[in-house]
Amino acid sequence: TALLLLFILYINPESVIVLSIVNLGSLLLLGNSVRLIQGKLLSPFLLIAASLYVFHSGHLWLSLLNVDPASFLLSFDWYKASNIHYIIETYTGITSLLIIFMTVGVLTIKPIVPENETDITNYYVTNYFKFGFIVLYLLAFYFEAGRAINVSNSGYGDGYHYSSSIAQYIVFSVEVLLLMLLYIYRKNPKQFKFYLFLDFAKIFFVMFFVGNRGTSVINLLIILFIITNYSYLAYDQRKLKRIILSVFAFLLVALPFISATRGERSNMGITEFVNTSSPIESFLEEFGGTVYNVFLTQDYISAIGSAHGLQILGTTLSIFPGSTMLFGDIITKNVSIGSMLNIYNNRQGLGGSMIAQLYFNFGESFFLYISIAIVALVVSLISNKLMKGNMGLYKTILLLSLFSGFMTFVKSEWYDVVTEVKVCAYLIILLYTFRSQL
């Protein structure tokens, strides 16, 4: 199927419609193959794959709803394209990478074979640990409130950053600890609901008052994964269907609404937004905009050249303690392609993109296709492990953090994966060292 899709893709007579159908068809056909092999729809691999497609192909799918698909794509100024040939060529490259990603998944995803669950009845948190966590949670909320105030005063592009790296590490630590607590108490309805409430409160505050939707959506999807695969709710299929449909319906309406109002003094209400906008069109137009990163990256490397993998290597060095002091400019100058593209294009607020980062590092060389295959293989291995069942507390938390990191990587940077794993590793070492007290 993948070979047939690639064949159609590269004999395509520069038709946006054919390109769009091949792109969407690759997700549906190959994604369904992954579902049939593994046996579940909400797997880490499929969640990451679907996000990759939406963020990099949303505009392409939306063009199918227009009378003139080519003119529709040409209407996006950020593509920096005056002819449809360049747009089709770029989307063809993106689609081929997505097909490779899905093909590696089809070849490496394994059926779920549940293991005997490790007895976790001895795991609980002491009052001392709970008090420390609540203090840390309130501190993280304080930093999020600071971001909300900055966004209100100066707009999203200037205000959404954390005030310091310490603030970012504290927020990341709270996110990892919440994953751990949800997992520990997954069979305890009272405690599970308590930590679920804390997680939701933080997620919705960041969504609506800071306007940073990416991390919030990722956290929501990981919570949904924990609920559907690990929690006491996993056995109630009727309730599960309602939860899943409610989450996706909320995301479909809320995310474009947040985008339309964030960083602005807008009086637009949710009713007015729904009446004046199609939620599906707004969703695809907004989130499909991540593809801008790929177009801007291609423009950048055509003028300056690719990084030959050194940008990813420099970012990876940040996993070591005291990395900035040890490696200095190697890290600070390479940590974000979004920052480089913002400076190069004299603009603000550009995020990141997994595919853009791979282009930035490898151009259109053979290593570009090798790199997307390696990413797909790692995501597949994480998915296989997490879908298998309990592997012990520390290993599960590390894998959930990796899942979170790669979900973030889709619309951000490799640096986020490294930071998430580093913070998680530090926390696991601390928790293991002081486990008798905690």
Side-chain angles (χ1 to χ4, degrees):
T1 303
L3 288 172
L4 177 61
L5 289 168
L6 285 170
F7 176 74
I8 296 170
L9 187 66
Y10 282 98
I11 64 163
N12 171 28
E14 298 206 336
S15 165
V16 175
I17 294 176
V18 172
L19 175 58
S20 304
I21 291 172
V22 170
N23 182 290
L24 184 57
S26 66
L27 172 62
L28 297 177
L29 294 171
L30 298 174
N32 189 53
S33 299
V34 172
R35 181 190 66 82
L36 291 172
I37 293 167
Q38 194 152 70
K40 277 197 175 184
L41 181 62
L42 283 182
S43 68
F45 184 89
L46 281 179
L47 284 170
I48 290 171
S51 299
L52 261 177
Y53 271 85
V54 169
F55 289 134
H56 295 89
S57 309
H59 291 175
L60 203 56
W61 300 347
L62 200 52
S63 71
L64 289 172
L65 303 178
N66 284 264
V67 177
D68 188 346
S71 296
F72 174 77
L73 292 180
L74 283 167
S75 68
F76 293 101
D77 294 334
W78 277 17
Y79 285 178
K80 288 196 167 185
S82 56
N83 65 79
I84 194 63
H85 308 294
Y86 175 63
I87 293 176
I88 288 176
E89 184 183 353
T90 302
Y91 269 117
T92 298
I94 291 169
T95 303
S96 64
L97 291 173
L98 293 173
I99 291 174
I100 291 170
F101 185 91
M102 295 301 296
T103 304
V104 172
V106 171
L107 295 173
T108 56
I109 282 291
K110 295 179 180 178
I112 301 171
V113 181
E115 292 184 342
N116 293 327
E117 186 168 6
T118 304
D119 182 14
I120 60 145
T121 52
N122 290 328
Y123 279 109
Y124 64 95
V125 296
T126 62
N127 289 332
Y128 171 76
F129 181 91
K130 184 179 287 189
F131 175 78
F133 169 74
I134 294 298
V135 170
L136 204 61
Y137 177 87
L138 292 174
L139 192 57
F141 222 107
Y142 169 79
F143 291 127
E144 299 294 11
R147 286 207 297 162
I149 293 169
N150 290 336
V151 167
S152 177
N153 291 334
S154 58
Y156 180 76
D158 290 322
Y160 77 97
H161 299 286
Y162 287 103
S163 56
S164 66
S165 57
I166 296 296
Q168 187 177 23
Y169 284 142
I170 288 173
V171 171
F172 272 26
S173 298
V174 168
E175 289 170 1
V176 173
L177 288 171
L178 278 168
L179 288 178
M180 185 191 77
L181 291 164
L182 286 172
Y183 184 75
I184 285 177
Y185 288 117
R186 63 194 185 278
K187 307 298 183 186
N188 183 326
K190 184 178 178 181
Q191 292 293 327
F192 187 81
K193 288 176 182 175
F194 172 71
Y195 291 109
L196 196 61
F197 169 78
L198 291 182
D199 217 345
F200 280 157
K202 182 174 171 296
I203 286 169
F204 293 138
F205 180 85
V206 172
M207 264 190 179
F208 288 99
F209 292 96
V210 178
N212 190 337
R213 304 142 307 156
T215 305
S216 302
V217 173
I218 289 160
N219 288 336
L220 267 180
L221 291 176
I222 292 172
I223 288 171
L224 190 62
F225 173 76
I226 292 173
I227 289 173
T228 56
N229 288 279
Y230 298 145
S231 79
Y232 68 96
L233 293 165
Y235 306 105
D236 189 336
Q237 293 300 314
R238 183 177 295 179
K239 189 172 287 186
L240 270 186
K241 287 179 182 177
R242 289 203 301 267
I243 291 171
I244 292 169
L245 288 174
S246 298
V247 168
F248 283 106
F250 167 77
L251 293 177
L252 196 63
V253 176
L255 297 182
F257 171 70
I258 293 166
S259 176
T261 58
R262 69 176 183 178
E264 301 173 5
R265 298 184 181 279
S266 173
N267 295 319
M268 181 185 289
I270 188 71
T271 305
E272 180 188 350
F273 172 76
V274 172
N275 290 335
T276 57
S277 309
S278 163
I280 293 177
E281 288 187 22
S282 299
F283 181 87
L284 290 176
E285 185 169 344
E286 164 64 17
F287 287 92
T290 298
V291 79
Y292 292 144
N293 289 273
V294 180
F295 283 88
L296 294 176
T297 297
Q298 288 195 330
D299 182 58
Y300 181 92
I301 63 175
S302 66
I304 296 175
S306 70
H308 304 292
L310 294 176
Q311 191 267 337
I312 289 177
L313 177 62
T315 300
T316 306
L317 292 174
S318 64
I319 200 166
F320 294 104
S323 55
T324 306
M325 184 175 61
L326 288 171
F327 304 107
D329 288 348
I330 296 175
I331 293 176
T332 55
K333 288 184 177 179
N334 288 293
V335 77
S336 172
I337 64 165
S339 298
M340 298 179 200
L341 294 176
N342 280 329
I343 294 169
Y344 182 74
N345 292 282
N346 193 28
R347 61 178 310 279
Q348 291 178 326
L350 187 69
S353 151
M354 178 194 290
I355 291 179
Q357 188 154 33
L358 297 181
Y359 268 111
F360 188 93
N361 279 272
F362 304 109
E364 295 188 10
S365 69
F366 178 71
F367 293 105
L368 173 67
Y369 302 98
I370 294 294
S371 64
I372 194 72
I374 291 172
V375 171
L377 179 61
V378 173
V379 170
S380 177
L381 293 174
I382 293 168
S383 188
N384 287 336
K385 291 289 186 183
L386 284 174
M387 296 300 287
K388 193 188 298 184
N390 187 343
M391 301 149 288
L393 179 64
Y394 301 117
K395 189 174 181 180
T396 302
I397 299 309
L398 181 60
L399 286 167
L400 284 172
S401 293
L402 273 168
F403 173 27
S404 173
F406 274 94
M407 279 288 290
T408 308
F409 185 23
V410 169
K411 195 181 181 299
S412 188
E413 309 261 354
W414 171 246
Y415 177 73
D416 292 277
V417 181
V418 176
T419 303
E420 188 107 12
V421 171
K422 179 167 69 171
V423 171
C424 182
Y426 290 170
L427 283 174
I428 286 175
I429 291 168
L430 283 171
L431 291 170
Y432 183 79
T433 303
F434 298 103
R435 62 193 181 282
S436 58
Q437 286 81 34
L438 301 179

